[in-house]
Amino acid sequence: MSDTIEVSRDVFEPIADLVKIGLFKDEKEALKNLVLDQARAKIHHFDSKILEMKSKYNMSFEDFKRRVEVRKEDEVFEEWDDLIIWDSYESAKSYWLNVEGKLSGSQG
């Protein structure tokens, strides 16, 4: 697998402009920082969504998941829906934390 990709000049031009004006030392640093900024924005977004769920149910995701899965009486479909949504928030946050970690570890 190659370490390089071809990118159309018109797509890459705004990034090259950021280097030209001195915001970044090169295009690679610019791309890494732009993706890192995006990762941090996503983490912040999912943190706020997770906080909404914690506030709604007054418990952690793990406790809520256990409560929904072990319930013996009638199922509460809204809770199952929220479990699926909350799980997706946790997974997405984990993904972006991983991206942030990789990029932060390779900064320099």
Side-chain angles (χ1 to χ4, degrees):
M1 185 166 163
S2 176
D3 286 343
T4 60
I5 59 169
E6 288 188 35
V7 178
S8 171
R9 181 175 299 282
D10 61 327
V11 172
F12 203 66
E13 192 171 334
I15 294 168
D17 289 345
L18 294 174
V19 174
K20 286 178 189 171
I21 63 174
L23 289 175
F24 301 101
K25 70 177 181 178
D26 58 28
E27 288 82 359
K28 183 178 178 181
E29 179 190 13
L31 281 170
K32 286 169 70 174
N33 278 281
L34 292 169
V35 174
L36 185 57
D37 287 347
Q38 179 69 14
R40 290 177 176 154
K42 292 289 188 180
I43 293 165
H44 177 74
H45 169 74
F46 289 113
D47 274 341
S48 70
K49 293 299 202 178
I50 290 166
L51 186 59
E52 287 176 18
M53 296 301 253
K54 284 181 179 178
S55 296
K56 181 176 180 177
Y57 291 103
N58 197 30
M59 64 183 68
S60 70
F61 173 70
E62 294 78 17
D63 291 340
F64 179 67
K65 182 177 179 181
R66 187 172 23 259
R67 182 177 94 178
V68 171
E69 291 177 342
V70 301
R71 177 175 280 129
K72 301 285 187 225
E73 64 271 10
D74 290 338
E75 291 182 355
V76 179
F77 293 111
E78 179 185 1
E79 287 186 357
W80 275 103
D81 290 345
D82 282 350
L83 177 63
I84 293 165
I85 292 166
W86 195 348
D87 186 48
S88 72
Y89 294 158
E90 295 285 346
S91 295
K93 178 184 174 184
S94 178
Y95 170 81
W96 287 108
L97 283 168
N98 189 333
V99 169
E100 179 190 38
K102 286 179 181 178
L103 291 174
S104 294
S106 64
Q107 294 287 322

